[in-house]
């Protein structure tokens, strides 16, 4: 996901994409809004990058998209909407950001791997990345579990994955990390603008009221569980788990609800 964000930044720097504030529907002019989708008119590329898009689904519809669709990106448009406003909640969605692969292809005329190879992989000295041999659940499981497989997964329509499916070496990932640490520079070569990197890594905030309501509910559940657990060691374990859970919740990246 971070790599995809870098690629979007490069596309912005080179003028392929106007800015991350560009409306997503600019790339899908023929899309007709469905019921409860008014928010979609204002959703931007940045909203997908920062996971602030409101969705109709409660749980990721992996099988609905990846199991039945040839294109895993554009169908996401139909899942945007519901009762929430843009940025009201942080929605971590691997399925959702697949649409960025479609947008990058439409904007640049290259698929994501071609664009990454030319503007990121080659400048960083990352070897050519082949297509990942994934065509069903069994081959996907094999891809996950086998350490010596190298490649990038793509959907049946030819768009490469944005939230999973890229396997390169640890050293190669470290080069990408070093690029970010050096504000977009690598070996004295500018790969992506410092301005974009600074914006990419900035801390963001979400609606604290909503998060506190969630924390209150979880705290109540844990408290009741501790009360009814008869074994002392069980009470201690629940208390530890609750503490860890709250620490993680409070450290999560937040998004500003503007």
């Amino acid at each position: 996901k971070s790599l995809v964000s870098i690629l979007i930044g490069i596309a912005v720097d080179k003028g392929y994409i106007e800015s991350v504030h560009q409306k997503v529907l600019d790339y899908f002019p023929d899309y007709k809004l469905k019921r409860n989708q008014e928010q979609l008119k204002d959703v931007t590329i940045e909203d997908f990058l920062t996971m602030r898009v409101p969705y109709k689904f409660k749980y990721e519809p992996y099988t609905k998209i990846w199991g039945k669709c040839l294109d895993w990106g554009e169908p996401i448009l139909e899942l945007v909407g519901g009762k929430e406003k843009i940025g009201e909640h942080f929605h971590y969605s691997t399925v959702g950001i697949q649409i960025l692969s479609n947008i990058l292809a439409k904007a640049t005329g290259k698929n994501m791997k071609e664009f990454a190879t030319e503007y990121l992989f080659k400048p960083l000295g990352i070897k050519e990345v082949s297509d990942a041999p994934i065509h069903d659940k069994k081959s996907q499981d094999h891809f996950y579990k086998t350490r010596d497989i190298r490649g990038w997964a793509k959907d049946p329509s030819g768009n490469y994955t944005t939230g999973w499916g890229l396997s390169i070496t640890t050293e190669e990932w470290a080069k990408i990390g070093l690029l970010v640490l050096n504000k977009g520079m690598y070996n004295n070569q500018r790969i992506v603008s410092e301005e974009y990197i600074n914006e990419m890594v900035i801390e963001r905030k979400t609606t604290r009221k909503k998060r506190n309501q969630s924390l209150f509910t979880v705290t109540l559940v844990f408290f009741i569980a501790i009360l009814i657990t008869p074994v002392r060691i069980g009470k201690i374990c629940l208390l530890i788990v609750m503490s860890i859970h709250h620490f993680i919740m409070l450290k999560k990246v937040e998004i500003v609800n503007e």
Side-chain angles (χ1 to χ4, degrees):
K1 297 178 178 69
S2 298
L3 180 141
V4 173
S5 181
I6 293 171
L7 293 178
I8 293 292
I10 294 173
V12 170
D13 289 343
K14 296 189 176 298
Y16 289 110
I17 293 175
E18 184 179 311
S19 79
V20 293
H21 304 298
Q22 191 170 0
K23 302 292 177 61
V24 167
L25 286 186
D26 288 352
Y27 294 94
F28 304 92
D30 297 328
Y31 182 80
K32 305 297 182 183
L33 291 176
K34 309 295 190 298
R35 184 180 177 184
N36 295 327
Q37 280 205 304
E38 286 301 308
Q39 310 96 312
L40 182 55
K41 293 187 297 184
D42 297 316
V43 170
T44 65
I45 292 172
E46 182 184 30
D47 293 327
F48 275 102
L49 286 172
T50 55
M51 305 281 181
R52 57 188 291 159
V53 177
Y55 294 105
K56 297 177 181 178
F57 58 80
K58 185 175 181 180
Y59 302 104
E60 294 264 69
Y62 296 111
T63 55
K64 180 178 180 180
I65 301 297
W66 298 344
K68 299 179 181 179
C69 300
L70 296 179
D71 182 342
W72 296 346
E74 191 164 346
I76 299 304
L77 294 174
E78 298 184 4
L79 303 177
V80 175
K83 298 180 180 179
E84 294 179 16
K85 298 177 182 179
I86 298 170
E88 188 171 349
H89 285 106
F90 176 80
H91 289 288
Y92 186 87
S93 176
T94 299
V95 169
I97 66 165
Q98 181 60 31
I99 199 167
L100 297 178
S101 185
N102 297 57
I103 289 174
L104 194 68
K106 287 174 179 286
T108 67
K110 304 174 186 288
N111 64 47
M112 185 164 284
K113 192 180 81 168
E114 291 172 338
F115 188 80
T117 298
E118 182 174 353
Y119 295 112
L120 184 63
F121 292 164
K122 283 185 178 179
L124 296 186
I126 295 176
K127 297 178 181 178
E128 183 177 353
V129 180
S130 60
D131 290 351
I134 298 176
H135 48 81
D136 55 22
K137 189 177 185 303
K138 183 178 180 180
S139 58
Q140 183 177 357
D141 288 342
H142 180 67
F143 178 78
Y144 284 151
K145 296 174 183 178
T146 306
R147 297 189 177 187
D148 60 351
I149 288 183
R150 177 188 179 81
W152 199 339
K154 63 180 179 179
D155 68 21
S157 70
N159 287 311
Y160 287 83
T161 53
T162 55
W164 67 282
L166 174 60
S167 177
I168 55 179
T169 68
T170 303
E171 181 181 353
E172 289 168 335
W173 279 116
K175 290 181 177 181
I176 295 171
L178 191 60
L179 171 70
V180 176
L181 285 174
N182 289 331
K183 305 291 187 178
M185 295 285 291
Y186 187 83
N187 281 347
N188 296 318
Q189 180 182 358
R190 172 64 63 187
I191 307 299
V192 59
S193 67
E194 181 176 351
E195 179 184 6
Y196 183 84
I197 293 295
N198 288 337
E199 184 65 22
M200 187 180 99
V201 300
I202 195 171
E203 182 180 359
R204 302 171 191 273
K205 297 182 179 180
T206 189
T207 308
R208 187 166 296 277
K209 179 181 177 182
K210 295 290 184 180
R211 189 179 66 180
N212 285 343
Q213 288 174 349
S214 176
L215 278 176
F216 174 79
T217 303
V218 173
T219 301
L220 182 61
V221 171
F222 271 115
F223 182 69
I224 293 173
I226 291 170
L227 284 178
I228 64 176
T229 301
V231 185
R232 183 179 179 184
I233 187 66
K235 293 179 185 290
I236 295 173
C237 289
L238 282 170
L239 186 60
I240 292 172
V241 171
M242 183 179 73
S243 300
I244 294 172
H245 174 272
H246 280 45
F247 176 80
I248 293 172
M249 287 288 288
L250 291 170
K251 289 294 183 181
K252 273 188 175 181
V253 175
E254 303 175 344
I255 303 174
V256 177
N257 181 21
E258 300 175 345

